[in-house]
Amino acid sequence: MQPMRILIVDDHAALRKSMAEMLEKQEDVEAVVEASNGAEALTKLMEQSFDIMITDIVMPVMDGYTLMEEMRRLRLASLPKVIVATALARDDFVMRAVELGAKFYLVKPFEPENLLGHIRELANGLPASLPVFPQTQPSLAQSIDDKLSSLFLTIGIPAHIKGYQYLRAGVKMVVENPDVINRITKELYPGIAAQFGTTASKVERAIRHAIEVAWNRGRIESINKAFGCRVCTPEDKPTNGEFIAMIADKLSLERSA
């Protein structure tokens, strides 16, 4: 077997570096290159070839799904075999990754030995007996951050726009203190602005833009599916407050269930 060249794509610097350090110690690994997001990974892929790519899904600038889509469009001479390593464990996320060409799907946290084993299987040309391979069962007490990441990806709000982060902060504030939704301009927007060093008016505009992006992408049915009922129509776009309240209510109900 030829020594492997591996690309690791993850915005979590400490985790990315720990994976790189583990792989660099292996005799059958020639080189390990790191990228902090999909756009950076695309640049690396155009500069050099890799045998294996390990990528997260939720990342700023460009997420893992878009990365896999763009890899195909580039028509590179040699495409790496892809292993997805992410905290997202929902079936629809898994299936989308597989449809885009992922050979294995590892749910964080996973054992380094499992990752190394799958890398060697792919490098040796062995077929992936299970293209979807979660290593651990997702926690029943999935964090709000994980749930919001899953939900926003489902409904088409990209992680790189400012409204994504502002919406996350706003939803968490409302989950912890539901009354704050009634003081959206006097307390919610200023509270988010204080966290990010910006202004309340910029927060309001960025959140409105994030909602518009989801609607323009035509993900209305995905939104309704995520909520388990018909809560939106293409002609009935919610206000910022309605959207935040809707998501906060869903998370609060799941938390109390």
Side-chain angles (χ1 to χ4, degrees):
M1 182 182 69
Q2 293 293 322
M4 296 177 285
R5 297 181 59 82
I6 300 172
L7 175 62
I8 302 174
V9 192
D10 199 307
D11 63 324
H12 192 301
L15 176 60
R16 186 179 71 242
K17 290 186 182 302
S18 69
M19 284 194 285
E21 289 172 0
M22 181 271 291
L23 292 170
E24 286 168 348
K25 295 176 182 177
Q26 309 306 313
E27 292 183 358
D28 52 357
V29 174
E30 176 184 337
V32 179
V33 175
E34 300 177 41
S36 62
N37 58 65
E40 189 178 324
L42 278 180
T43 300
K44 305 285 187 187
L45 287 164
M46 289 186 286
E47 293 173 345
Q48 53 191 301
S49 63
F50 296 92
D51 303 293
I52 306 289
M53 183 178 78
I54 305 158
T55 183
D56 196 358
I57 294 298
V58 180
M59 296 178 287
V61 184
M62 181 186 290
D63 62 42
Y65 292 139
T66 307
L67 168 59
M68 288 187 278
E69 290 171 348
E70 291 299 318
M71 280 171 49
R72 290 180 171 184
R73 291 196 186 100
L74 285 174
R75 297 185 178 181
L76 300 172
S78 177
L79 284 175
K81 295 174 181 176
V82 179
I83 296 174
V84 168
T86 180
L88 303 179
R90 276 178 29 182
D91 289 345
D92 50 345
F93 289 109
V94 174
M95 292 310 300
R96 187 176 177 197
V98 172
E99 288 167 0
L100 290 172
K103 301 301 182 183
F104 287 103
Y105 192 104
L106 306 183
V107 178
K108 298 175 180 177
F110 51 81
E111 294 297 327
E113 293 78 9
N114 289 328
L115 173 62
L116 186 57
H118 294 318
I119 289 172
R120 285 175 173 151
E121 284 183 54
L122 295 177
N124 282 316
L126 298 177
S129 55
L130 287 175
V132 181
F133 205 100
Q135 295 301 323
T136 60
Q137 294 297 319
S139 169
L140 294 176
Q142 187 182 25
S143 74
I144 286 181
D145 283 331
D146 287 344
K147 289 181 178 180
L148 286 173
S149 296
S150 297
L151 185 58
F152 289 170
L153 272 174
T154 297
I155 64 182
I157 299 177
H160 68 275
I161 63 175
K162 291 181 179 178
Y164 177 98
Q165 296 295 338
Y166 297 165
L167 271 171
R168 283 169 67 108
V171 169
K172 289 162 74 173
M173 287 174 67
V174 175
V175 169
E176 296 302 325
N177 181 11
D179 284 344
V180 78
I181 197 64
N182 299 316
R183 302 185 294 276
I184 190 167
T185 57
K186 292 185 177 180
E187 191 169 334
L188 185 65
Y189 291 155
I192 298 169
Q195 291 184 44
F196 292 91
T198 186
T199 65
S201 61
K202 288 182 179 179
V203 167
E204 186 276 331
R205 287 196 299 270
I207 290 176
R208 177 158 32 93
H209 172 67
I211 296 171
E212 288 172 353
V213 168
W215 254 250
N216 291 338
R217 286 186 169 189
R219 297 283 185 87
I220 310 303
E221 288 308 313
S222 296
I223 295 172
N224 291 327
K225 184 177 179 181
F227 282 85
C229 61
R230 193 167 187 80
V231 295
C232 302
T233 67
E235 301 76 25
D236 186 25
K237 183 172 65 178
T239 65
N240 289 4
E242 289 169 341
F243 192 72
I244 291 171
M246 185 169 62
I247 296 174
D249 285 346
K250 174 181 170 60
L251 295 180
S252 296
L253 287 171
E254 290 177 354
R255 176 188 272 189
S256 61

